[in-house]
Amino acid sequence: MPIDIPHIIKPGTLASGPQPTLHSTDGELVLRTPEFTDAPAIHDAFQDPALRYWHIRGMESVDEARDWVTSTHEGWREETAAQWFVAGAADGAPLGRMALRQMNLMEGVAEVGYWVLPAARGLGVAPRALAAMTDWAFDVGFHRIDLLHSTGNEPSCKVALKADYPLEGTRRSSALHTDGWHDMHVHARINARINARINARINARINS
């Protein structure tokens, strides 16, 4: 059955090459493909009660962390997710993870996921890494990037605003946590260049 709208990002655009390494604008952070050597740091991250609470999952062993690393490579090949391990550019110190989840290349939309190790919090790691990832996503051709977080997660709200993700509204009772349903703030950024280009293509086809 034919689809009457153009793909925003052509299938195979991402998987045809290796996942790129990204850098924050100040050069202090590097976002790279997760590797098996990162498994101990990933496992340690999920021993933090706050991280486990907001992400609604645990990481019981280093082997489980290695399995997660494998899944990130599969996500890139399948073009369903892009996950980066965030480290210090100078010393390689592990700092966190930044991701685009639920990637829909036809519509050019994705959702942000991230966490920061407890020792790296308060240093601006998340907003700087998010800005770098967003720049890459817009360059590739994504149209819209969503960032959702519980209304009770004030630090994530600050991260979104620092990375120029304005608050659009609240999805009521839309995420189940261990203590019940949470209302979720919806932040998003729109790629104005892609928006204008696609609208021009659609209008040209309508008027042809």
Side-chain angles (χ1 to χ4, degrees), residues 129-154:
L130 176 56
M133 184 181 71
T134 303
D135 287 345
W136 170 83
F138 282 178
D139 286 342
V140 168
F142 278 93
H143 160 66
R144 176 186 170 98
I145 308 295
D146 290 311
L147 189 160
L148 284 74
H149 65 82
S150 167
T151 55
N153 189 347
E154 185 176 348

Side-chain angles (χ1 to χ4, degrees), residues 49-71:
L51 194 152
R52 289 184 67 134
Y53 173 72
W54 292 120
H55 288 266
I56 325 172
R57 68 155 297 169
M59 189 78 70
E60 303 304 327
S61 67
V62 174
D63 284 342
E64 186 178 345
R66 292 192 186 97
D67 290 341
W68 179 84
V69 170
T70 297
S71 74

Side-chain angles (χ1 to χ4, degrees), residues 56 149-150 171-177 179-184:
I56 325 172
H149 65 82
S150 167
R171 291 176 56 179
R172 294 176 299 143
S173 192
S174 66
L176 182 60
H177 284 59
D179 55 356
W181 293 97
H182 283 226
D183 293 347
M184 300 292 284

Side-chain angles (χ1 to χ4, degrees), residues 72-142:
T72 69
H73 298 175
E74 293 171 349
W76 178 263
R77 290 193 299 269
E78 296 168 358
E79 298 185 318
T80 56
Q83 308 259 6
W84 283 271
F85 193 73
V86 184
D91 57 7
L95 301 173
R97 159 256 192 180
M98 188 61 60
L100 289 177
R101 307 180 300 177
Q102 301 178 18
M103 296 196 308
N104 180 335
L105 300 192
M106 186 182 78
E107 296 184 1
V109 298
E111 181 182 323
V112 171
Y114 73 90
W115 48 258
V116 175
L117 287 162
R121 291 172 192 162
L123 303 177
V125 170
R128 287 183 289 160
L130 176 56
M133 184 181 71
T134 303
D135 287 345
W136 170 83
F138 282 178
D139 286 342
V140 168
F142 278 93

